[in-house]
């Protein structure tokens, strides 16, 4: 990419699925201001003006319907339709062209194809899954990209659109390079005053027509989507402290939306499509930039904001203390530092403009404008009895001092009764709303649990700008600049190719709306809330809260110390090639950049817990194409464990059932020692083989454990003199590590449950993480184990795990029908050592329907997350603690202490 494209804009991505949906236009009821000039010219008429419903354009590339097939039950209403041969970008491009900035949103598709193997079909039939998505349009993966340009540099915006061929459906489209291709009939959605002003320029430069969308419609549509669909979208900001506010989508309305662009519009939102502009002011972002440019000679809005960070407004503002001899005016509640008159000191001082520092002028301007906007907003909320006030628009730009100033004004005038709230994706409301005005935008009726936010650094293979501290050519190591490769884009992708030139340095102003803080929001329609959570609304997965800097610093140190070993294994997993070494180095520095940013501001990416940090590391590995770092280690440990499994099963079968149950739980806890994410456990590998370490760990099992509910579990399993036991119907076993953990720990426990007539579902990761076993790997492990055990063989056959496996039966002992309950495997929907049960796979959600026992095993799933989780059914949490700080904090114990926590249904 040429430098003129990288220096003038910033780009962010939200990944979604490109759906095609039927929308009933007649149901829309939009009350809006149809004047596109109101935001920039300010308040002219306070009376609300009713607008028309959003016009839905059908301007779209054509679908390839060849090979189209219905997924699931043909008789079901609105079944999912899969389009296996669809390869064009189902692309939208939408813009918000304001007086100061151009905001651009465009869609590009995602390559992933659905997997549908024989095992999965059998399990879906067993679990009664027909059509989990229940959608009447194709599911095409993709992402939304967010880009901004200064309006004065509109030609750079046009160059950007042309370079990515966005006006022709994106670089993936198969027909844009053909000689006969043209854009004569192409229509692009746009909002803002510039949609009228620059329409001829778009036609001249790109050959496309601009279809104008109402500004207020777009602002409200974009805000409603963000507040409903993104879990940590809204936050408060006071005295530098950011706190996220969870918004219940069922209790969102009414609210006041304050959009601060060049001017300010204040919109009362009563529901989807129902709103009215109730007020505004002509003193907004344009005022700040315009006066700032005249008074400080700044060349850009960001430069002006950056100046304010080093300013002292008391040198130019008249304060209450200046009037009252440094004293407060306590009688009316004004402190000495309260601004009595913005720029008031300039009246009495014999100074020229050159005598004042630009930094002080910028800060004085910022406070003057922010305070006034905050006051007017609160008065309008009071006028209409509104409790929620959301501020958005590119004036804010995630700038901490701007948000603090607005928050102070709202708190001051409301006497603490109201709070200002801000949006992480502020500034893109209008562009996102314009995108949604397409007839088939695919964003309708999304739920929070369908969206997974990730924070890529921008490399490799995703195109567009780099996220975070500059990532450029690895051969360019200048000063403290963090660089990483952005390879040439392969044919058929949306990348621009080459290595991008970093557009900023790490020591410059880095507002929340800049590169590092806005993540990629993946839409995964198959994700659901785990139905066995006792109260999903109060559920918090993280046990360790990293908002405390001391806690954050400790875990950053742990991850940093583990980094060299992880990089070595990552490079080895890719054959140790020069390319792998290059990517390994890039991963290390990219993840270090993430950690540095989070140390600077723990809430930069949303609410931060240890689980989020561990998942961030796995996503960063995948971004640099290290897809399964521990693959060879997992295979080796699985083989070693399977070799001794038969002997272990024979030993277990010689015991009475009570002794066997205790031995099984001891075996799970002992085998959980094998965790490549723990430095203490990695060191153990230097002391013996996997089997030797397992035997050592098992021999050290002595009760009572640090958390020991085994006797409660035993009574529930075997009953008592007063109570007859009731077998569990179905048990969900959330498994952890490969090797001894799954083979010698969890599989024998699963076998015992099967023996007692309980259906067993092994729940494993969808994607690799450390040495955790995955759902793709489990069937082969079970097939090998079934060669030595008729119980496992029959159950695996019933559960569809041996569809393609040839199993030699060595155990021909008589069996009865009760042993033929199924053993199934489902994926959990994530690729992390931890699990957030607010977002699990549809397979797991279906499997949970008839489950009455949940077993969570391992530190990640039972301690780092879900230690405090409550369930509608019985729950057993099993783990060995392999970190001293976690042991002290969570169970007041020591490293290698064990947890056996049994909780009856809530």
């Amino acid at each position: 990419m040429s430098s003129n494209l990288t220096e003038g804009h910033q780009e962010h991505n939200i990944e979604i699925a490109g759906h095609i949906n039927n929308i009933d236009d007649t149901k829309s009821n939009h009350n809006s201001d149809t004047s596109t000039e109101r935001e920039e010219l300010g308040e002219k008429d306070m009376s609300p003006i009713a607008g028309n419903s959003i016009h839905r354009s059908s301007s779209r590339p054509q679908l390839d319907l060849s090979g189209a097939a219905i997924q699931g039950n043909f008789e079901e209403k609105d079944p999912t339709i899969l389009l296996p041969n669809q390869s064009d970008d189902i692309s939208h491009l939408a813009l918000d062209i304001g007086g100061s900035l151009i905001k651009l949103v465009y869609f590009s598709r995602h390559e992933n194809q659905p997997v549908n193997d024989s095992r999965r079909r059998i399990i879906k039939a067993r679990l009664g899954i027909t059509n989990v998505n229940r959608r009447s349009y194709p599911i095409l993966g993709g992402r939304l990209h967010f880009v901004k340009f200064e309006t004065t540099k509109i030609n750079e915006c046009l160059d950007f659109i042309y370079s990515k061929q966005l006006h022709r459906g994106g670089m993936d489209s198969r027909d844009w390079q053909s000689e006969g291709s043209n854009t004569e009939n192409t229509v692009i959605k746009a909002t803002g005053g510039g949609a009228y002003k620059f329409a001829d320029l778009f036609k001249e430069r790109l050959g496309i027509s601009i279809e104008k969308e109402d500004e207020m419609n777009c602002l409200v549509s974009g805000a409603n989507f963000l507040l409903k669909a993104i879990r940590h979208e809204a936050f408060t900001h006071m005295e530098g402290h950011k706190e996220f506010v969870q918004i219940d989508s069922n209790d969102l309305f009414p609210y006041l939306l304050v959009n601060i662009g060049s001017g300010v519009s204040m919109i009362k939102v009563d529901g989807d499509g129902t709103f009215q502009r109730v007020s505004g002011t002509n003193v907004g972002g344009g005022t700040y930039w315009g006066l700032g440019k005249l008074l400080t000679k700044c060349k850009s809005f960001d430069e002006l904001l950056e100046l304010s960070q080093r300013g002292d407004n008391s040198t130019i503002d008249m304060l209450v203390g200046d009037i009252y001899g440094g004293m407060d005016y306590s009688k009316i509640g004004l402190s000495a530092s309260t601004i009595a008159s913005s720029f008031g000191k300039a009246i009495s001082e014999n100074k020229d403009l050159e005598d004042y520092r630009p930094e002080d002028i910028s800060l004085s301007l910022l406070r003057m404008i922010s305070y006034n906007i905050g006051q007017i907003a609160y008065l309008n909320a009071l006028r209409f009895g509104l409790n929620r006030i959301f501020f958005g628009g590119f004036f804010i730009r995630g700038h901490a001092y701007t948000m603090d100033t607005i928050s102070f004004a709202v708190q001051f005038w409301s006497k603490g009764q109201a709070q200002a709230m801000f949006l992480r994706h502020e500034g893109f409301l209008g562009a996102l709303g314009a995108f949604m005005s397409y007839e088939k935008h695919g964003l309708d009726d999304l739920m929070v649990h369908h969206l997974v936010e990730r924070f890529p650094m921008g490399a490799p293979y995703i195109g567009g700008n780099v996220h975070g501290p500059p990532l450029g050519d690895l051969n360019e190591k200048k000063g403290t600049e963090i660089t990483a490769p952005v390879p040439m884009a392969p044919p058929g992708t949306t990348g621009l190719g080459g290595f991008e030139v970093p557009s900023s340095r790490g020591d410059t102003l880095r507002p929340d709306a800049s590169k590092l803080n806005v993540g990629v929001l993946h839409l995964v329609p198959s994700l659901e809330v785990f139905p066995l959570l006792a109260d999903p609304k109060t559920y918090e997965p993280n046990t360790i809260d990293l908002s405390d800097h001391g806690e954050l610093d400790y875990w950053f140190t742990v991850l940093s110390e583990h980094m060299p070993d992880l990089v070595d294994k990552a490079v080895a997993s890719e054959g140790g090639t020069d390319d792998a070494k290059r990517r390994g180095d890039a991963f290390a520095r990219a993840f270090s950049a993430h950690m540095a940013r989070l140390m600077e501001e723990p809430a930069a990416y949303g609410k931060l817990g240890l689980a989020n940090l561990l998942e961030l590391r796995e996503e960063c590995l995948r971004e640099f194409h290290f897809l399964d770092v521990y693959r060879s280690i997992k295979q080796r440990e699985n083989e070693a464990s399977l070799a001794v499994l038969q002997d272990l099963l024979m030993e277990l079968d010689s015991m009475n059932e009570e002794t066997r149950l205790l031995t099984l739980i001891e075996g799970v806890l002992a085998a959980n020692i094998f965790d490549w994410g723990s430095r203490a456990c990695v060191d153990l590998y230097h002391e013996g083989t996997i089997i030797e370490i397992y035997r050592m760990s098992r021999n050290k099992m002595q009760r009572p454990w640090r958390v020991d509910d085994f006797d409660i579990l035993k009574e529930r399993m075997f009953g008592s003199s007063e109570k007859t036991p009731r077998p569990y119907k179905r048990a969900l076993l959330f498994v952890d590590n490969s090797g001894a953990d799954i083979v010698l720990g969890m599989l024998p426990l699963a076998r015992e449950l099967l023996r007692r007539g309980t259906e067993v579902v092994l729940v494993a990761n969808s994607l690799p993480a450390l040495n955790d076993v995955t759902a793709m790997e489990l069937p082969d492990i079970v097939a090998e184990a079934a060669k030595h055990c008729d119980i496992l063989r029959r159950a695996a056959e019933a559960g569809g795990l041996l569809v393609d496996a040839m199993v030699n039966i060595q155990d021909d002992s008589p069996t009865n029908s009760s042993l033929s309950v199924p053993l199934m495997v489902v994926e959990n929907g994530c690729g992390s050592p931890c699990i957030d049960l607010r977002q699990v796979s549809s397979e797991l959600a279906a499997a949970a329907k008839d489950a009455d026992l949940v077993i969570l095993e391992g530190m990640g799933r039972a301690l780092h997350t879900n230690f405090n989780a409550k369930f509608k059914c019985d729950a057993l949490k099993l783990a060995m603690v392999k970190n001293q700080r976690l042991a002290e904090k969570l169970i007041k114990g020591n490293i290698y202490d064990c947890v056996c926590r049994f909780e009856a249904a809530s």
Side-chain angles (χ1 to χ4, degrees):
M1 181 190 293
S2 59
S3 60
N4 69 317
L5 290 183
T6 60
E7 294 174 359
H9 78 278
Q10 293 179 344
E11 178 174 357
H12 319 289
N13 307 314
I14 288 185
E15 182 167 325
I16 65 168
H19 299 318
I20 299 173
N21 195 10
N22 298 320
I23 299 174
D24 185 358
D25 293 348
T26 62
K27 294 181 180 179
S28 301
N29 175 25
H30 303 276
N31 300 316
S32 67
D33 186 347
T34 57
S35 171
T36 59
E37 298 299 321
R38 285 197 170 216
E39 178 185 343
E40 297 183 20
L41 298 181
E43 182 69 0
K44 291 183 179 179
D45 182 359
M46 289 291 186
S47 60
I49 301 176
N52 298 320
S53 61
I54 291 181
H55 173 66
R56 304 288 190 177
S57 168
S58 59
S59 174
R60 291 291 296 267
Q62 295 299 306
L63 293 176
D64 183 352
L65 300 178
S66 62
I70 293 177
Q71 181 187 38
N73 188 345
F74 280 73
E75 298 180 358
E76 189 174 70
K77 183 180 179 181
D78 297 333
T80 296
I81 301 173
L82 297 179
L83 300 184
N85 300 319
Q86 176 62 44
S87 59
D88 287 348
D89 265 15
I90 303 303
S91 179
H92 293 314
L93 166 65
L95 302 102
D96 178 4
I97 311 174
S100 307
L101 294 164
I102 300 171
K103 287 77 70 177
L104 183 150
V105 174
Y106 69 93
F107 171 81
S108 65
R109 68 182 176 84
H110 185 54
E111 300 279 348
N112 286 355
Q113 295 294 327
V115 177
N116 192 16
D117 56 29
S118 300
R119 177 192 62 81
R120 185 165 295 180
R121 284 197 299 270
I122 292 175
I123 290 177
K124 283 187 174 184
R126 167 77 65 173
L127 298 176
I129 304 174
T130 54
N131 181 13
V132 295
N133 297 310
R134 299 184 180 278
R135 294 177 181 270
S136 57
Y137 41 78
I139 299 173
L140 300 175
R143 52 176 71 97
L144 276 179
H145 305 254
F146 292 74
V147 194
K148 75 176 179 67
F149 297 86
E150 295 178 11
T151 305
T152 56
K153 299 178 181 178
I154 189 169
N155 284 323
E156 291 185 7
C157 176
L158 295 170
D159 291 341
F160 178 82
I161 293 171
Y162 184 82
S163 70
K164 285 184 175 286
Q165 291 294 306
L166 300 178
H167 58 310
R168 300 179 187 265
M171 293 182 72
D172 293 27
S173 295
R174 290 173 292 183
D175 61 353
W176 75 266
Q177 296 184 21
S178 64
E179 294 182 4
S181 65
N182 63 72
T183 57
E184 182 178 350
N185 298 319
T186 301
V187 177
I188 297 299
K189 296 282 194 171
T191 188
Y196 297 85
K197 183 177 180 179
F198 298 109
D200 291 342
L201 183 61
F202 274 81
K203 189 69 174 179
E204 176 186 339
R205 288 284 310 276
L206 300 176
I208 59 177
S209 300
I210 295 292
E211 186 170 321
K212 292 84 174 176
E213 293 296 326
D214 180 78
E215 282 188 76
M216 299 303 141
N217 280 340
C218 292
L219 285 172
V220 173
S221 179
N224 286 347
F225 167 74
L226 291 170
L227 288 168
K228 288 181 177 182
I230 301 179
R231 179 169 282 114
H232 294 144
E233 177 63 25
F235 62 92
T236 60
H237 202 288
M238 283 293 290
E239 299 180 354
H241 177 68
K242 180 187 290 186
E243 184 171 336
F244 289 95
V245 180
Q246 184 59 49
I247 304 296
D248 185 349
S249 60
N250 296 318
D251 188 33
L252 173 61
F253 307 110
Y255 67 84
L256 186 70
L257 176 62
V258 181
N259 188 67
I260 313 173
S262 300
V264 183
S265 287
M266 300 185 185
I267 308 162
K268 177 176 175 282
V269 183
D270 293 303
D272 285 320
T274 306
F275 57 87
Q276 54 184 187
R277 185 181 189 274
V278 294
S279 186
T281 172
N282 58 354
V283 179
T287 312
Y288 176 59
W289 192 352
L291 287 174
K293 186 176 181 181
L294 290 173
L295 297 173
T296 69
K297 309 305 180 185
C298 279
K299 302 300 183 183
S300 72
F301 194 93
D302 281 332
E303 184 183 353
L304 188 62
L305 276 180
E306 198 165 345
L307 280 179
S308 72
Q309 295 191 141
R310 303 189 296 272
D312 178 4
N313 67 298
S314 66
T315 65
I316 193 169
D317 289 343
M318 183 179 293
L319 309 181
V320 168
D322 296 325
I323 300 173
Y324 292 95
M327 303 293 289
D328 296 340
Y329 191 173
S330 56
K331 185 177 180 180
I332 59 174
L334 297 178
S335 69
S337 61
T338 300
I339 298 174
S341 175
S342 294
F343 289 86
K345 283 184 180 175
I347 300 172
S348 57
E349 293 179 339
N350 187 23
K351 291 183 179 181
D352 294 325
L353 178 61
E354 292 76 17
D355 297 323
Y356 292 99
R357 294 196 320 143
E359 292 89 343
D360 301 340
I361 293 172
S362 177
L363 181 57
S364 180
L365 271 176
L366 181 66
R367 281 192 151 187
M368 178 183 74
I369 292 169
S370 298
Y371 280 152
N372 277 275
I373 292 171
Q375 180 182 12
I376 296 171
Y378 168 67
L379 292 175
N380 275 282
L382 184 66
R383 172 187 170 195
F384 292 101
L386 305 176
N387 296 320
R388 293 194 180 97
I389 311 173
F390 296 104
F391 291 84
F394 254 106
F395 171 70
I396 297 172
R397 302 165 84 87
H399 188 224
Y401 201 88
T402 304
M403 293 186 288
D404 274 352
T405 307
I406 291 173
S407 297
F408 177 82
V410 172
Q411 183 187 53
F412 178 85
W413 291 106
S414 71
K415 294 181 171 58
Q417 298 301 304
Q419 282 186 310
M421 287 185 280
F422 305 92
L423 305 177
R424 290 182 57 222
H425 295 85
E426 49 85 12
F428 289 104
L429 303 185
L432 181 57
F435 177 88
M436 296 181 71
S437 69
Y438 283 100
E439 182 179 2
K440 300 171 182 178
H441 57 76
L443 300 183
D444 283 332
D445 302 322
L446 285 182
M447 304 292 286
V448 171
H449 56 266
H450 292 145
L451 301 162
V452 180
E453 190 170 19
R454 299 182 178 123
F455 298 88
M457 283 291 186
Y461 314 134
I462 68 168
N465 249 16
V466 171
H467 296 261
L471 300 175
D473 192 334
L474 272 179
N475 298 319
E476 299 177 4
K477 301 179 181 178
K478 302 176 182 177
T480 59
E481 181 179 327
I482 302 168
T483 60
V486 182
M488 292 292 292
T493 72
T494 56
L496 293 182
F499 290 97
E500 298 198 7
V501 179
S503 60
S504 64
R505 291 295 182 265
D507 58 353
T508 59
L509 174 70
R510 189 162 52 199
D512 280 356
S514 69
K515 295 179 181 180
L516 195 56
N517 287 29
V518 178
V520 175
L521 198 67
H522 301 249
L523 171 62
V524 188
S526 59
L527 290 181
E528 299 184 24
V529 178
F530 189 57
L532 294 178
L533 284 174
D535 186 359
K537 287 186 178 181
T538 61
Y539 167 77
E540 169 55 50
N542 280 292
T543 307
I544 304 298
D545 184 359
L546 297 185
S547 59
D548 174 74
H549 266 280
E551 199 69 39
L552 188 62
D553 184 62
Y554 170 79
W555 287 104
F556 276 9
T557 300
V558 170
L559 293 179
S560 296
E561 290 175 348
H562 185 230
M563 185 81 75
D565 184 69
L566 180 60
V567 171
D568 287 345
K569 285 184 170 53
V571 172
S573 73
E574 294 290 312
T577 63
D578 289 342
D579 175 67
K581 293 175 183 177
R582 188 169 177 265
R583 286 185 286 119
D585 185 30
F587 155 74
R589 284 181 286 122
F591 186 60
S592 295
H594 277 302
M595 292 196 291
R597 178 66 184 107
L598 290 170
M599 276 300 294
E600 177 186 356
E601 184 185 354
Y605 297 173
K607 189 174 182 180
L608 182 65
L610 182 56
N612 307 103
L613 194 58
L614 295 175
E615 183 170 11
L616 181 64
R617 180 182 61 182
E618 297 302 321
E619 288 298 333
C620 199
L621 279 168
R622 283 189 276 269
E623 184 184 0
F624 289 93
H625 274 217
F626 295 110
L627 304 182
D628 194 354
V629 172
Y630 290 85
R631 179 175 57 250
S632 60
I633 294 173
K634 291 191 293 183
Q635 291 172 347
R636 184 170 65 247
E637 294 188 354
N638 286 337
E639 290 170 2
S641 301
L642 285 164
V644 299
L645 176 61
Q646 187 174 15
D647 292 339
L648 174 63
L649 297 181
M650 292 176 61
E651 177 187 350
L652 290 168
D653 288 343
S654 68
M655 302 174 182
N656 64 57
E657 59 179 11
E658 290 192 11
T659 303
R660 186 165 63 239
L661 180 63
L662 175 59
T663 305
L664 286 165
I665 298 301
E666 287 178 340
V668 171
L669 295 172
N672 192 234
I673 197 171
F674 297 101
D675 186 346
W676 280 91
S678 166
R679 167 56 58 186
C681 296
V682 172
D683 292 341
L684 284 176
Y685 282 85
H686 301 299
E687 300 180 12
T689 66
I690 180 175
I691 300 305
E692 290 171 342
I693 297 170
Y694 168 71
R695 287 173 178 156
M696 174 195 70
S697 177
R698 188 173 163 187
N699 290 336
K700 289 184 177 180
M701 285 289 126
Q702 289 185 344
R703 295 187 63 200
W705 303 309
R706 192 64 188 179
V707 178
D708 193 339
D709 292 338
F710 175 78
D711 291 335
I712 302 174
L713 170 67
K714 183 175 70 172
E715 183 176 335
R716 171 59 185 84
M717 294 289 288
F718 302 127
S720 62
S721 56
E722 297 85 18
K723 194 171 184 180
T724 303
R726 175 182 54 83
Y728 286 108
K729 180 178 180 182
R730 177 181 292 169
L732 305 180
L733 276 60
F734 289 76
V735 298
D736 190 8
N737 306 302
S738 293
D741 199 353
I742 178 64
V743 176
L744 305 180
M746 292 299 280
L747 267 184
L749 179 59
R751 176 178 179 262
E752 181 67 18
L753 290 167
L754 292 165
R755 185 200 296 266
R756 300 180 64 81
T758 301
E759 294 183 0
V760 174
V761 180
L762 301 177
V763 183
N765 268 12
S766 300
L767 296 173
L770 293 172
N771 63 319
D772 291 359
V773 68
T774 68
M776 289 290 290
E777 297 162 347
L778 265 179
D780 288 338
I781 294 173
V782 171
E784 284 299 313
K787 293 179 180 179
H788 309 295
C789 175
D790 192 49
I791 296 173
L792 289 176
R793 181 189 66 80
R794 289 179 178 274
E797 283 182 341
L801 298 181
L802 304 185
V803 174
D804 303 313
M806 297 298 293
V807 180
N808 297 317
I809 305 172
Q810 296 183 4
D811 182 358
D812 294 321
S813 59
T815 60
N816 57 59
S817 59
S818 67
L819 300 181
S820 297
V821 291
L823 172 63
M824 296 171 278
V825 171
V826 299
E827 57 182 281
N828 59 19
C830 75
S832 166
C834 305
I835 187 167
D836 182 344
L837 293 173
R838 293 172 299 194
Q839 295 180 301
V840 302
S841 72
S842 56
E843 283 187 7
L844 174 52
K849 181 174 59 177
D850 296 321
D852 47 3
L853 175 63
V854 167
I855 300 179
L856 293 160
E857 183 237 357
M859 282 210 308
R861 293 159 190 82
L863 299 183
H864 292 325
T865 52
N866 302 305
F867 187 67
N868 300 317
K870 303 298 180 185
F871 297 92
K872 296 176 182 177
C873 66
D874 290 355
L876 178 62
K877 299 168 185 177
L878 299 169
M880 176 183 285
V881 189
K882 288 148 292 193
N883 176 277
Q884 181 62 37
R885 188 182 184 97
L886 183 67
E888 293 171 357
K889 191 175 185 67
L890 205 60
I891 60 173
K892 295 180 172 56
N894 295 298
I895 193 169
Y896 302 129
D897 277 348
C898 292
V899 173
C900 174
R901 188 175 190 178
F902 182 82
E903 298 163 324
S906 296

